[in-house]
Amino acid sequence: QGGDASEVLSSAFVGTAARRAYLSFVNPRPGKVSNSKETALQAATRVAVQVSFLQREHRAMMADYLRNADAARAHYDELGLEPFPLILILDNVRSVYNVGSIFRSSETARLQEIVTCGITPHPPHEKLAKTALSSLDYVATRHFDSTLEAVQTLKAEGVHIFGMETTSKSKSYARIEYPQPSALILGNELTGICTQVMDQCDELIEIPTFGLKNSLNVASACPIVVFEVLRQWGHI
């Protein structure tokens, strides 16, 4: 039906309706009973048509996103707004609401880029567009299947890597000097930053807390450190 299973399983289709439709057919929930009188071939054909349509719809949304993003960033250039050389790396941040909030914070801080990794929702994404508002168009972004690969790529580009994680080795974010360019890694809401990724960091930093909880929500922690970096760089 014109669909491509390898495409729908690629990183470009993470979190899309096309992938959900495909996976729900090939990996149905345990115990799920269908009342349909379709044969297996008829069901497969129906799902193939649906997935193919959803793939085309996603490609169109991607093209629209790229057009809008190009126009938005051209507007930045016209105004002479050069992004600050600070990058955010999102290590399997699951919540689309957290990611949307981080995009909004990044646009207000005029950051260079957001690098999304693994299961992190990334543009074009319908729910993310709603939570991030128009900030998606203004913040440059790229996606990696592996956070480790993303970190290694950025280090090869000369970027200093700081992991935002509470550990026995972490230092207060306010007592660290941030060279240019730098990147901050924000981890998964439950598991934090992968240990293999932490091993690749130039420094681990944390926000001191004074209650019973030892960490802030990832979307709340992000702007605290971002604006401290910009303060140190003389922009505040």
Side-chain angles (χ1 to χ4, degrees), residues 100-192:
S101 178
I102 289 169
F103 265 91
R104 292 178 68 179
S105 295
S106 298
E107 196 286 319
T108 64
R110 214 165 79 221
L111 300 192
Q112 178 178 320
E113 183 181 24
I114 290 180
V115 175
T116 57
C117 306
I119 64 171
T120 306
H122 55 282
H125 188 293
E126 186 177 354
K127 289 184 179 179
L128 182 57
K130 291 179 180 178
T131 58
L133 300 179
S134 59
S135 62
L136 282 188
D137 296 336
Y138 288 91
V139 182
T141 183
R142 52 180 155 162
H143 183 80
F144 289 80
D145 289 336
S146 160
T147 307
L148 194 58
E149 180 189 359
V151 169
Q152 291 169 345
T153 298
L154 288 172
K155 291 187 80 169
E157 296 172 359
V159 179
H160 293 78
I161 308 295
F162 295 87
M164 291 175 56
E165 188 65 73
T166 301
T167 74
S168 59
K169 299 179 181 179
S170 299
K171 299 178 182 178
S172 169
Y173 77 102
R175 298 183 182 276
I176 292 290
E177 291 186 1
Y178 302 90
Q180 299 184 33
S182 285
L184 306 173
I185 305 178
L186 297 149
N188 177 270
E189 292 88 340
L190 295 178
T191 59

Side-chain angles (χ1 to χ4, degrees), residues 46-235:
R46 173 179 54 78
V47 172
V49 170
Q50 179 188 18
V51 170
S52 179
F53 169 77
L54 292 172
Q55 282 179 285
R56 293 195 302 272
E57 186 177 56
H58 182 70
R59 290 190 207 104
M61 184 164 55
M62 170 65 87
D64 188 53
Y65 161 72
L66 292 174
R67 282 193 299 272
N68 291 339
D70 287 344
R73 289 162 203 165
H75 185 50
Y76 255 31
D77 292 340
E78 290 170 5
L79 296 174
L81 298 175
E82 185 73 21
F84 298 122
L86 181 59
I87 298 167
L88 299 182
I89 304 171
L90 307 188
D91 178 18
N92 291 287
V93 177
R94 179 178 293 275
S95 167
V96 69
Y97 301 104
N98 284 336
V99 176
S101 178
I102 289 169
F103 265 91
R104 292 178 68 179
S105 295
S106 298
E107 196 286 319
T108 64
R110 214 165 79 221
L111 300 192
Q112 178 178 320
E113 183 181 24
I114 290 180
V115 175
T116 57
C117 306
I119 64 171
T120 306
H122 55 282
H125 188 293
E126 186 177 354
K127 289 184 179 179
L128 182 57
K130 291 179 180 178
T131 58
L133 300 179
S134 59
S135 62
L136 282 188
D137 296 336
Y138 288 91
V139 182
T141 183
R142 52 180 155 162
H143 183 80
F144 289 80
D145 289 336
S146 160
T147 307
L148 194 58
E149 180 189 359
V151 169
Q152 291 169 345
T153 298
L154 288 172
K155 291 187 80 169
E157 296 172 359
V159 179
H160 293 78
I161 308 295
F162 295 87
M164 291 175 56
E165 188 65 73
T166 301
T167 74
S168 59
K169 299 179 181 179
S170 299
K171 299 178 182 178
S172 169
Y173 77 102
R175 298 183 182 276
I176 292 290
E177 291 186 1
Y178 302 90
Q180 299 184 33
S182 285
L184 306 173
I185 305 178
L186 297 149
N188 177 270
E189 292 88 340
L190 295 178
T191 59
I193 299 172
C194 168
T195 53
Q196 289 180 310
V197 172
M198 280 195 278
D199 290 340
Q200 295 294 315
C201 292
D202 295 303
E203 197 79 70
L204 295 176
I205 60 175
E206 64 183 3
I207 298 172
T209 58
F210 305 98
L212 297 177
K213 302 298 182 181
N214 69 351
S215 65
L216 295 169
N217 170 273
V218 63
S220 300
C222 172
I224 293 174
V225 180
V226 163
F227 282 94
E228 168 60 18
V229 174
L230 297 186
R231 185 195 68 78
Q232 289 191 19
W233 290 352
H235 300 300

